[in-house]
Amino acid sequence: MKLLIVKIAAFVLMTAMFVPAALSAEVVIVEDGEVRAEVILPEDPAEDEQLAADELVEHIEKITGVQLPVVSVDGAADDRTPIRLGAAADEALENMILDKGDSYSSFALVADETGISIRGLNPEGTLFGAYELLEQLGVRWFMPLDVGTVVPENSTAALEYQQTVQVPSMDYRRFQWLRGGGEGAGTWQRRSRTGGSSRSTGRHGIPGGVPGGTEGRQYCLSGDYAPGGIDAVVNHIRENYEPTGEKFYVGMGPNDGGGWCRCDGCRELDGDTWDPLRAEPAMTDRHVWFYNRVLGELEDDYPEMHIVWYVYGPTMWPPENFEPNPRIVHVFAPIDIDRTRGMDNPMSPDRHILRHALDGWAEFDPNEMYYRGYYNNLACSQFPHSHIDRIQNEIPVLHEKGINVMRVEVIKQSWASSPLTPYLASKVWWDVDADVDGLLSDFYEKFFGPAREPMRSYFEDLEAAFRDTPYHTGSSYLYFPIFHQQRRDLLRGHLERAAEHADGEDSVYAERVRMISDAFRRLELFLDLMEARNRHDFESSDDILQEYIELTDEMIDKGWVINRGRGSGGPYFARFFLPSLESGHRRTVEEGDLVKGLPDEWDFLIDPAEIGEIAGYYRAGELGGNWQPLKTSSLSWSDQGLHYYKGKAWYRTQVTIPAEFEGREIYLWFGGVDNAAKVWVNGELLGTNREPKHGLPGEAGVFRPFDFLATDAVRLGEENTVSVKVTNDRLAELGTGGIVGPVMFWSPHDEDWTP
Ligand SMILES: [Zn+2]
């Protein structure tokens, strides 16, 4: 796993790419438009060796305008300099690699007076060696599509003499785009040298028919409630694998969600270990005990079997009662602890939780540990985002702790919003000592040309926005506090200057600036939209919505923002925000009038012991107690100090309802509550969002709007008390909870209005 790279002249090449052949020691591939070299493949090339040849020919033709011949070993011409690929290159190159390490994707690239030789330990290494050559010639794959690729143009192409051996820091590297990475993403992954020896990197569920526990969803691991679990896995392995001394990996683990077995045996295995994030018993020890037993039973016939499992949620905390077998591979998947910052960032105490867990697990000296994090803003509709801090600071620490596999989940990839994150991550996975600042300078210069300085400012200020903020909520709620007017003006200013600097409307630089600018404009439209929504102005919000959807569709068509998802405006937008916009518009513009919008800030009290109803928190009028102001639609409750609070809480507010609505029906409407609400007006119970007296059947729920008929409960011309009891026991990773949308009284034009 140790990274050892011999780079001769690679850094010089970055700045002085094409010096005349006579002046330095280099292999000339193309000279003044004349072919001087040829690609030599082995007799029966492997797929990746052939691909290496194809990629060299394609890109060198793009650089120089001429096509290199590709021949097999026997057909080599005497008058051309050989570029020997894979098995056509000297086998001694493999020994050069093995001196440094044996990672699957490793390669050696030698350029000297005899020509160029590229050979990997495997064909994939040969392919990656070809990519190294092309990068030394100035080619960059910053993101997929033509707009993301940089190819210099020059009639001469030459490679400095060198003996380069590269062994990746991380043995296996992969982006897992759950909903696709868009057009060209597969090709981009390979050109970014993700890959390595394929292996199980963990899975949900335990194979072999292990019986469910008391709650059904998870397994009974102790066997106390439902016996036979260990035998089931052991038999499954014996039936599916021949006895072997070779190393192999079997993925198994808990299912998503709760539903843990509560039988006496399972509880006893966990003992009194505690998960402080969820305020419930940790579930680690029962798993460690179970896997230890499975590996023990199979030890004689499968001494190198490894179990790969997810360390996340209530299994993230290191075990306290059982020492894990070193052949248990822990896969860190920290979904709910600030996915934006690095774990040494002082602005993110949350992220230090990962460091704490990692250190604890590393103490058991496991053979391997993997990382399966998230490089997107979870449940966000693909708005601009930046992860440089995490990449630069966290990947080297993970590596130092012994993590050798990075498989990172990106649920939604938007290249226009976050082009740097995957690019930089792939580089640092390959080489944890990579010079990130140098890579960034190279990116700004090559990608934006004359607009590089303002674009550097844009990306640096975007990164600072996330890196230096005290706010941490995942999902699009993060954007409300971070992108205040001053920061928006600053970022927009950089982009406007960049547009002026990019030479000519038609240049590729101008196109790239437009792409990044459109992503930012889309975010601004979203913020304007939310601002209008939160002050119950659904007439204005509708105009902005049309513009936002049009822009999103345009960007989807260009491949800049991907995933249309269900509904318009981007996948999570359709789920979390569109319903309240459409519902509010229908009620206050199309079919009725706004009577009174409720304020953003309410009086708030948590109620962990659930005494609120007994104490009468729902009563009308003045009420004592330690109520605190809390914002609702403009800021998540995690970002107001409630952190991961799960449980009951109360909201109260007073509003005067105008007397002019005398004789009309009055409804109380909520834009969204995470996740359950029970509602009173002037002490009178109106119902719950699960069972509203007059609601939206089948639609009520988290982030879905709902109504109550409140005509009989309200007092016109007087002050009215609205009381809401919320329960938050789901969706921990969003960082939201309680009232998450605007609330208003409204009146339909038609007194027989139905939802
Ligand atoms: Zn059990």
Side-chain angles (χ1 to χ4, degrees):
M1 276 178 295
K2 268 199 177 164
L3 178 104
L4 289 155
I5 295 182
V6 181
K7 279 182 186 162
I8 296 173
F11 290 113
V12 177
L13 279 162
M14 299 280 256
T15 47
M17 204 67 65
F18 303 115
V19 284
L23 294 182
S24 75
E26 59 183 16
V27 179
V28 178
I29 300 166
V30 175
E31 189 171 26
D32 293 330
E34 297 291 326
V35 170
R36 295 281 179 255
E38 64 188 4
V39 176
I40 301 178
L41 277 171
E43 214 50 68
D44 189 13
E47 211 174 302
D48 275 354
E49 290 172 332
Q50 181 65 53
L51 182 57
D54 295 345
E55 291 279 56
L56 284 176
V57 170
E58 179 189 328
H59 287 88
I60 287 171
E61 187 176 6
K62 280 183 182 164
I63 296 169
T64 63
V66 298
Q67 211 173 16
L68 294 185
V70 180
V71 298
S72 70
V73 180
D74 293 342
D78 290 338
D79 58 343
R80 293 206 181 102
T81 306
I83 303 176
R84 304 178 199 89
L85 294 183
D90 192 344
E91 209 175 334
L93 267 66
E94 290 201 17
N95 294 327
M96 285 171 60
I97 301 168
L98 290 170
D99 281 348
K100 318 285 184 194
D102 63 355
S103 192
Y104 185 88
S105 316
S106 312
F107 66 83
L109 163 63
V110 175
D112 57 23
E113 61 284 350
T114 70
I116 297 170
S117 296
I118 302 172
R119 183 162 180 150
L121 288 182
N122 296 284
E124 180 179 88
T126 301
L127 175 63
F128 292 174
Y131 289 142
E132 170 66 24
L133 186 160
L134 289 168
E135 287 188 61
Q136 288 194 26
L137 296 183
V139 177
R140 294 290 181 276
W141 300 281
F142 290 117
M143 55 171 266
L145 309 175
D146 282 346
V147 74
T149 307
V150 171
V151 181
E153 285 178 27
N154 202 309
S155 60
T156 294
L159 190 72
E160 293 268 348
Y161 281 8
Q162 60 191 290
Q163 281 199 337
T164 298
V165 175
Q166 292 190 10
V167 177
S169 301
M170 298 289 181
D171 283 335
Y172 182 70
R173 309 158 304 281
R174 183 149 195 86
F175 295 102
Q176 186 187 355
W177 283 301
L178 286 193
R179 312 280 153 82
E183 194 191 331
T187 302
W188 181 86
Q189 281 239 43
R190 299 222 77 193
R191 288 171 174 170
S192 305
R193 308 188 204 174
T194 61
S197 64
S198 172
R199 67 186 79 190
S200 169
T201 49
R203 56 164 277 189
H204 292 298
I206 301 178
V210 177
T214 58
E215 315 302 300
R217 182 163 184 79
Q218 308 285 357
Y219 304 96
C220 179
L221 298 178
S222 70
D224 204 48
Y225 169 78
I230 289 171
D231 290 347
V233 186
V234 166
N235 291 338
H236 172 86
I237 300 297
R238 290 194 188 285
E239 280 163 21
N240 288 279
Y241 299 83
E242 291 293 320
T244 175
E246 298 277 305
K247 187 190 278 189
F248 69 106
Y249 302 86
V250 180
M252 62 182 74
N255 293 310
D256 266 338
W260 305 92
C261 183
R262 295 169 188 269
C263 83
D264 289 346
C266 288
R267 281 171 176 248
E268 202 173 305
L269 290 172
D270 295 327
D272 54 5
T273 57
W274 193 249
D275 172 5
L277 276 188
R278 269 148 292 269
E280 59 187 26
M283 303 291 166
T284 309
D285 274 292
R286 63 176 69 183
H287 287 92
V288 169
W289 177 85
F290 183 85
Y291 305 143
N292 279 349
R293 289 286 302 272
V294 171
L295 290 172
E297 295 269 331
L298 292 164
E299 183 126 16
D300 290 346
D301 291 333
Y302 308 89
E304 283 300 314
M305 172 180 162
H306 284 62
I307 289 177
V308 187
W309 79 303
Y310 294 141
V311 168
Y312 83 126
T315 62
M316 187 175 70
W317 309 93
E320 290 180 22
N321 306 320
F322 305 100
E323 185 168 333
N325 187 313
R327 288 184 285 118
I328 303 176
V329 180
H330 315 298
V331 185
F332 293 90
I335 190 167
D336 49 8
I337 44 170
D338 184 354
R339 297 164 301 273
T340 302
R341 277 78 70 82
M343 59 194 174
D344 288 327
N345 187 329
M347 294 307 286
S348 177
D350 277 21
R351 198 68 184 168
H352 289 232
I353 296 168
L354 173 62
R355 165 69 77 130
H356 173 85
L358 189 59
D359 287 351
W361 285 101
E363 270 179 31
F364 296 112
D365 206 15
N367 293 351
E368 290 181 72
M369 294 193 290
Y370 303 166
Y371 183 84
R372 190 188 176 285
Y374 304 83
Y375 279 168
N376 64 332
N377 190 29
L378 207 73
C380 167
S381 192
Q382 300 170 298
F383 299 125
H385 203 232
S386 186
H387 274 97
I388 297 170
D389 176 56
R390 258 183 83 188
I391 290 163
Q392 192 161 16
N393 299 318
E394 200 159 281
I395 297 170
V397 175
L398 298 176
H399 179 254
E400 186 192 312
K401 281 285 165 190
I403 284 176
N404 64 336
V405 164
M406 297 291 288
R407 194 189 72 175
V408 169
E409 185 174 306
V410 184
I411 296 174
K412 308 284 175 188
Q413 177 60 36
S414 167
W415 295 101
S417 294
S418 188
L420 270 172
T421 301
Y423 173 71
L424 287 180
S426 70
K427 292 293 181 195
V428 183
W429 291 351
W430 182 262
D431 174 5
V432 293
D433 296 322
D435 170 16
V436 172
D437 294 333
L439 287 167
L440 285 167
S441 292
D442 180 63
F443 167 75
Y444 299 131
E445 183 177 327
K446 291 194 170 57
F447 206 56
F448 296 114
R452 61 184 166 276
E453 280 316 316
M455 289 310 290
R456 174 194 283 273
S457 300
Y458 171 80
F459 279 101
E460 286 181 352
D461 283 333
L462 183 72
E463 167 67 11
F466 292 97
R467 182 191 61 218
D468 301 337
T469 178
Y471 302 106
H472 72 279
T473 307
S475 83
S476 308
Y477 278 81
L478 183 64
Y479 291 84
F480 302 161
I482 288 184
F483 289 90
H484 45 75
Q485 200 56 52
Q486 200 185 350
R487 178 164 273 138
R488 285 170 61 175
D489 293 345
L490 177 74
L491 290 165
R492 197 184 324 104
H494 295 321
L495 293 171
E496 284 167 3
R497 279 197 297 125
E500 287 163 17
H501 281 72
D503 53 16
E505 279 288 295
D506 301 332
S507 79
V508 68
Y509 303 119
E511 176 80 345
R512 289 170 186 149
V513 170
R514 260 197 304 277
M515 172 178 74
I516 306 297
S517 302
D518 275 1
F520 184 73
R521 189 159 74 84
R522 184 167 167 271
L523 168 62
E524 288 215 277
L525 288 169
F526 169 75
L527 293 167
D528 291 344
L529 197 49
M530 290 299 107
E531 196 267 327
R533 179 194 80 150
N534 292 349
R535 58 180 157 80
H536 315 94
D537 181 357
F538 292 100
E539 192 141 20
S540 302
S541 72
D542 204 51
D543 295 338
I544 308 167
L545 179 62
Q546 298 319 315
E547 202 182 332
Y548 168 86
I549 287 174
E550 253 170 53
L551 176 61
T552 303
D553 286 348
E554 266 174 42
M555 294 180 73
I556 289 170
D557 289 343
K558 289 176 176 166
W560 294 353
V561 168
I562 58 152
N563 290 306
R564 208 170 289 269
R566 278 182 305 154
S568 302
Y572 287 108
F573 179 81
R575 180 164 163 192
F576 293 127
F577 301 105
L578 191 59
S580 67
L581 289 162
E582 289 176 342
S583 172
H585 187 262
R586 186 182 154 203
R587 280 154 182 74
T588 59
V589 180
E590 295 165 45
E591 297 171 9
D593 302 303
L594 176 67
V595 172
K596 185 75 185 180
L598 274 62
D600 179 30
E601 195 168 275
W602 293 48
D603 292 333
F604 178 85
L605 197 58
I606 62 165
D607 185 17
E610 208 172 350
I611 58 163
E613 290 195 49
I614 303 166
Y617 288 175
Y618 53 83
R619 279 180 292 186
E622 282 290 307
L623 197 66
N626 299 312
W627 296 80
Q628 301 290 322
L630 197 84
K631 292 189 183 344
T632 53
S633 52
S634 70
L635 200 56
S636 77
W637 81 7
S638 269
D639 284 332
Q640 295 174 84
L642 280 163
H643 209 233
Y644 296 101
Y645 180 66
K646 293 283 147 198
K648 315 284 179 191
W650 287 76
Y651 291 86
R652 284 170 56 87
T653 194
Q654 272 85 33
V655 288
T656 302
I657 296 181
E660 69 195 72
F661 287 93
E662 180 71 54
R664 290 177 60 173
E665 299 284 29
I666 308 279
Y667 284 84
L668 176 59
W669 176 90
F670 286 79
V673 172
D674 182 8
N675 42 29
K678 190 171 179 180
V679 179
W680 293 259
V681 170
N682 296 323
E684 186 177 323
L685 178 65
L686 296 187
T688 71
N689 63 333
R690 302 287 165 77
E691 294 173 67
K693 284 183 179 167
H694 299 274
L696 302 169
E699 278 203 296
V702 184
F703 298 101
R704 305 292 301 189
F706 53 94
D707 293 280
F708 302 100
L709 182 60
T711 314
D712 295 339
V714 297
R715 297 170 194 154
L716 298 178
E718 291 176 36
E719 198 166 69
N720 291 260
T721 302
V722 180
S723 313
V724 184
K725 177 188 179 183
V726 298
T727 304
N728 179 33
D729 53 11
R730 290 167 52 190
L731 286 173
E733 66 267 28
L734 291 186
T736 57
I739 299 174
V740 292
V743 186
M744 67 186 177
F745 286 104
W746 70 280
S747 176
H749 296 141
D750 178 356
E751 62 177 26
D752 296 326
W753 184 87
T754 50

